[in-house]
Amino acid sequence: GMLNPWLLRKGYHADRLMAVGVPLCLLVLLGSILAGPQAGAAAWALFCVSCTFVALSQPAVAMAFPQALAGRALSAYNLVIFAGVFAVQWGIGLAVDAFAAAGLSTVASFQAAMAVYLACNVAAYASYMWQGQRHNVLQTLTP
């Protein structure tokens, strides 16, 4: 967040960084799903680090509003994030249980649930990119 204004002055808008960085996160997740138990802690740590591109959306929200409204916008953003994280974690747990009830092994159940999570993320990213093209936001992809 502290670097966001500096990056913006250098031409690296949050939209541009997220458009380029999120696919890296999705590829790391795909690799971890395919590797299964062999992925290990290092792969999941890499996934967590590669997800930091999404964190750029928070300062972008604050910068999109006048200073007098930025606090309210961030409060609403945080509420949606916390509710969304809870829903996603709960949904992954439900999916693991559902795949296990369908007869998949524990490992396969987790892989299938994470594959559904990956598919949802790919769809969200595609929607983000499509919306950006509609609003000419992604012109920021080129410096």
Side-chain angles (χ1 to χ4, degrees):
M2 290 182 350
L3 292 178
N4 211 27
W6 180 81
L7 289 169
L8 187 61
R9 285 191 302 274
K10 298 290 185 186
Y12 295 100
H13 303 269
D15 288 321
R16 178 182 179 197
L17 292 169
M18 286 187 292
V20 173
V22 170
L24 171 66
C25 170
L26 299 176
L27 287 173
V28 171
L29 180 57
L30 175 63
S32 295
I33 292 168
L34 295 175
Q38 290 76 29
W44 290 107
L46 180 60
F47 172 68
C48 291
V49 169
S50 66
C51 286
T52 59
F53 287 100
V54 177
L56 293 169
S57 61
Q58 185 176 26
V61 166
M63 291 169 46
F65 287 89
Q67 191 172 8
L69 297 176
R72 292 180 192 161
L74 287 175
S75 293
Y77 175 90
N78 286 332
L79 177 63
V80 170
I81 289 295
F82 283 114
V85 167
F86 169 78
V88 167
Q89 290 176 347
W90 183 58
I92 290 172
L94 287 175
V96 169
D97 289 343
F99 287 120
L104 272 65
S105 69
T106 301
V107 170
S109 294
F110 274 91
Q111 286 175 302
M114 293 306 290
V116 170
Y117 173 67
L118 175 61
C120 291
N121 276 278
V122 168
Y125 177 75
S127 174
Y128 170 75
M129 295 299 287
W130 182 74
Q131 290 295 327
Q133 287 177 339
R134 279 187 49 219
H135 299 290
N136 296 321
V137 171
L138 298 179
Q139 290 178 358
T140 61
L141 285 176
T142 55

